[in-house]
Amino acid sequence: MNPAPEISVPVLCYHSVGDLRRDGTLRWSVSPGDFDEQMALIRARERTPMTVSDYAAVLRGLVPLPPRPVLVTFDDGFPDLAETALPVLRRYRLTATAFVIAARVGATPSPDGDPSLDWDQLRDLHSHGVEIGSHSQSHRALDCLRRTEVRREVAGSRQALEDRLATPIRSFAYPYGYHSDAVRTAVRAAGYSSACGVKNALSHPGDDVFALARVLIERDTGVAGIGALLDGTGWPLAWHGERLLTRGWRAYRRARHLVHAAHPRLSRPTA
């Protein structure tokens, strides 16, 4: 008798829903038509939508896992989340979790920067069942910062969001997916009950509630790619701990960060 396959839980990570470049590239912008098709497929497959905090409660053993679960998350907090994505989510009766960069909400972007949701849009999202989570105060790579800076990014963003939205902020998403033991400790200490990484792997009931695996949805993922995620094919199940390559990449980034901090001119473009 063959053993039962392990349950996989697709946690989708979107950024922008539109045809504009985000962070200088179209890679992170899914077209509105593609997004509509992808959400329609989730509904047609009769998946059970969950927020990150809902799923965290499952991983803690507080509630059972619903049938055919799926999580839709958004990072960075672009305005098209409210303007374009929300109407689609409502049409297909799907919920989502939005991770926003606290210092950017309602702020005027720099000439070469991307716009952000304003506070009224964020409240509207929340009123329609979208969970609001923190994506840090200013979107810096937390695993390269001093502990005092990490605390400001993690705890400060939660406080700012709670003060303006008058609702508990329970979930966190690591900028760029980067985290470490010290960063995860700071997230727990700040009062969050869960946190999302990336990994480009499928989550499962044994996943780390403070490093939930997500799959980045890109412009060329398409409806077929979403179908594969829902089928649990083509993507590995999330592994425990960190791979050696991840640790090596962190060491390189930390060294580069220290060099730039000590010699800021090295990070400036030359004439």
Side-chain angles (χ1 to χ4, degrees), residues 173-225:
Y174 304 108
Y176 312 104
Y178 297 153
H179 54 87
S180 63
D181 287 341
V183 172
R184 291 190 296 273
T185 296
V187 169
R188 287 191 291 268
Y192 296 96
S193 59
S194 63
C196 288
V198 177
K199 284 191 175 180
N200 282 322
L202 292 162
S203 185
H204 51 80
D207 204 358
D208 183 347
V209 73
F210 281 100
L212 296 175
R214 296 187 293 171
V215 175
L216 292 172
I217 308 304
E218 302 181 8
R219 193 166 188 83
D220 61 356
T221 298
V223 70

Side-chain angles (χ1 to χ4, degrees), residues 19 24 78 80 101 159 165 168 197 219 229 255 266:
D19 295 316
F78 297 117
D80 53 43
I101 303 164
Q159 188 65 58
L165 299 176
R219 193 166 188 83
L229 280 166
L266 295 179

Side-chain angles (χ1 to χ4, degrees), residues 6-7 27 32 38 43-44 50 59 72 81 106 132 142 158 189 191 216 230 251 266 271:
E6 188 167 2
I7 296 171
R27 179 181 180 182
Q38 293 166 14
R43 175 49 59 197
M50 306 182 73
L59 297 187
V72 178
L81 170 52
I132 307 301
L142 301 180
R158 182 172 187 247
L216 292 172
L230 298 179
L266 295 179

Side-chain angles (χ1 to χ4, degrees), residues 13-30 35 73-87 89 97-102 104-107 109-110 112-125 130 132-133 135 139 176 216-217 219:
C13 178
Y14 290 89
H15 285 80
S16 176
V17 179
D19 295 316
L20 299 176
R21 294 177 180 272
R22 299 301 189 196
D23 292 332
T25 175
L26 277 174
R27 179 181 180 182
W28 308 119
S29 295
V30 174
F35 183 73
T73 70
F74 295 85
D75 280 7
D76 296 349
F78 297 117
D80 53 43
L81 170 52
E83 299 161 355
T84 306
L86 179 60
L89 293 169
T97 302
F99 294 107
V100 298
I101 303 164
R104 295 185 188 175
V105 179
S110 63
D112 59 345
D114 291 311
S116 177
L117 293 159
D118 61 33
W119 290 108
D120 286 339
Q121 288 174 316
L122 211 52
R123 294 186 189 96
D124 188 52
L125 286 165
V130 175
I132 307 301
H135 199 32
H139 204 258
Y176 312 104
L216 292 172
I217 308 304
R219 193 166 188 83

